[in-house]
Amino acid sequence: MAYSNTVGTTVITVQNLIDHGARRCGKLAEELTSEQVVSARESLFFLLSSLINLGIQYWAIDKKVYGFTADKAIYLLPLGGNDVLNALYRWMNRPSGSYTSSAGGTVANLYDGDVDTVCTQASANGNFAINFGPSNPIFIGSIGFLPASSGTKSFILEYSQDNSTWSTLVDLGSITVVNNEWVWTDIENGQTVPYYRIRAYNGTTLSLREWYLGNNSTEITMSRLNRDDYTNLPNKNFTANQPFQFWFNRTIPQSEIVLWPTPQNAFYQMTIWYSRQIMDVGDLYGELEVPQRWYMAVVSMLAHQMSLELPSVDMNRVAYLEQQANKYLTQAEEEERDKSPVYIAPNIAPYTG
């Protein structure tokens, strides 16, 4: 018997799912009008959006590192973010080295610890580099830069063993940056090397307030406040180096992380792990951002939703499709779990009132 010798390579497109949904409703896929296809695609978006209400989808968890702005208490969760799972206050070691610029500017302003000073290069597509010493290779776990201007700009982080041949550490691509708002990148596959640089491309001119290369980070869990706790704080503008609490304000279009106390140090960070919506349904020939184990649940739920909108679908079939949708959704949700050990540590003390 010959097997395929492949796993997870079969491509199921949005159009495939809609075709299967139609057939389960007792319709030929060819019968669907363009309006009905659009309706089915929107139904797919609705049902994927509603999954966040059932619990955490473990493939839709992201991490974001925020750089603090002195005297700023409110930070936005990325668009589509649903809930904060973990919030950690972080600081790092900043190894010293020799900084250089390929196109001028006051290089000392990159590492002087003053966010009001700026190093701006005279021409586009240049780089800032740091030399820790040829015999002093250093592992860098996170790199941040504080832009001095806003706009869509292109950056790449690179490393070198010899200050001659450079390799890509992380290509940030074309990103939107905001003046005086940190851009932090944790290096998942780091290197222990003497030389690092940040290079601009696509016509970007480097203009930075600070460039920070950090390692040996320390993270401390931040406590979550409810709305009553936050609103009852007597001094919401209290400032300190360490914001050890936060209130998560689930508003639209983006939820807010409101820190207390308000941070003063612009060189500390906050690491947020958060759940988010599944990516939007793209065009008909694209794939969904769902794992293979969810395909039966998704196609069954879609078929049921389509049966509610397509004409002349027998009500017995509608009821059957609903049963199938619930069956496969339950199976998928029961499997969507962490499987790590659970530790229960009751804190029982006598009442001595």
Side-chain angles (χ1 to χ4, degrees):
M1 181 179 293
Y3 299 104
S4 67
N5 290 320
T6 62
V7 175
T9 61
T10 300
V11 175
I12 302 297
T13 67
V14 173
Q15 184 68 69
N16 294 148
L17 291 169
I18 293 174
D19 291 348
H20 281 285
R23 288 189 286 269
R24 293 181 185 211
C25 292
K27 308 287 184 181
L28 294 175
E30 294 80 6
E31 295 180 45
L32 298 183
T33 66
S34 58
E35 179 184 356
Q36 289 167 342
V37 171
V38 170
S39 175
R41 181 173 169 272
E42 291 175 347
S43 292
L44 190 53
F45 169 74
F46 295 150
L47 71 88
L48 291 179
S49 298
S50 70
L51 290 180
I52 199 74
N53 298 322
L54 302 179
I56 298 172
Q57 313 309 327
Y58 281 91
W59 70 90
I61 295 176
D62 280 351
K63 170 187 175 184
K64 180 174 174 60
V65 179
Y66 294 81
F68 291 141
T69 300
D71 301 324
K72 177 181 176 181
I74 298 176
Y75 297 81
L76 298 179
L77 202 64
L79 194 64
N82 177 67
D83 196 12
V84 171
L85 304 178
N86 306 93
L88 304 109
Y89 168 77
R90 181 171 82 172
W91 67 91
M92 294 183 295
N93 179 45
R94 189 180 194 179
S96 59
S98 175
Y99 291 76
T100 57
S101 169
S102 67
T106 306
V107 179
N109 291 344
L110 290 174
Y111 57 94
D112 62 358
D114 185 348
V115 298
D116 293 324
T117 60
V118 176
C119 181
T120 301
Q121 293 193 330
S123 59
N125 301 331
N127 67 78
F128 294 133
I130 185 169
N131 176 359
F132 291 119
S135 59
N136 184 37
I138 289 180
F139 177 88
I140 295 297
S142 189
I143 298 177
F145 61 90
L146 190 61
S149 61
S150 302
T152 300
K153 304 175 187 294
S154 301
F155 305 94
I156 187 169
L157 305 174
E158 298 176 318
Y159 69 94
S160 176
Q161 293 282 4
D162 57 9
N163 203 23
S164 177
T165 302
W166 292 88
S167 301
T168 299
L169 197 60
V170 179
D171 188 347
L172 300 179
S174 294
I175 59 174
T176 300
V177 300
V178 178
N179 180 28
N180 207 27
E181 288 191 9
W182 284 95
V183 177
W184 280 97
T185 303
D186 282 354
I187 311 302
E188 301 299 336
N189 297 304
Q191 303 290 329
T192 302
V193 296
Y195 308 98
Y196 293 87
R197 73 180 183 183
I198 178 171
R199 177 170 59 85
Y201 62 98
N202 285 342
T204 297
T205 299
L206 282 172
S207 181
L208 305 182
R209 298 173 181 271
E210 288 285 328
W211 183 37
Y212 195 115
L213 294 88
N215 61 12
N216 297 326
S217 64
T218 300
E219 295 185 328
I220 297 177
T221 300
M222 300 168 64
S223 300
R224 185 164 177 165
L225 299 169
N226 62 39
R227 184 184 299 271
D228 288 341
D229 289 338
Y230 178 76
T231 55
N232 290 330
L233 288 172
N235 182 3
K236 297 177 181 60
N237 296 321
F238 176 67
T239 59
N241 275 340
Q242 179 178 339
F244 51 85
Q245 293 177 303
F246 72 98
W247 167 48
F248 186 57
N249 182 17
R250 299 183 73 175
T251 185
I252 56 176
Q254 290 173 260
S255 297
E256 298 174 341
I257 303 168
V258 186
L259 302 182
W260 192 87
T262 300
Q264 285 182 309
N265 192 319
F267 295 90
Y268 289 172
Q269 304 90 40
M270 173 175 62
T271 304
I272 296 292
W273 293 86
Y274 65 96
S275 61
R276 60 164 174 81
Q277 292 285 357
I278 297 170
M279 290 183 185
D280 293 344
V281 179
D283 61 43
L284 294 175
Y285 299 101
E287 297 180 71
L288 296 182
E289 192 207 9
V290 296
Q292 186 175 332
R293 63 182 181 273
W294 271 80
Y295 281 168
M296 277 298 291
V298 170
V299 73
S300 299
M301 289 188 290
L302 176 60
H304 175 242
Q305 292 301 311
M306 291 176 66
S307 73
L308 301 175
E309 298 191 9
L310 290 175
S312 305
V313 178
D314 183 82
M315 291 306 297
N316 290 327
R317 185 184 288 269
V318 173
Y320 174 74
L321 291 174
E322 183 177 17
Q323 293 173 1
Q324 291 293 296
N326 291 336
K327 170 186 172 180
Y328 287 108
L329 176 61
T330 299
Q331 290 180 0
E333 278 294 329
E334 287 179 348
E335 167 59 22
E336 201 64 26
R337 52 202 171 99
D338 188 276
K339 299 185 181 180
S340 59
V342 176
Y343 297 95
I344 300 176
N347 184 13
I348 301 174
Y351 176 68
T352 59

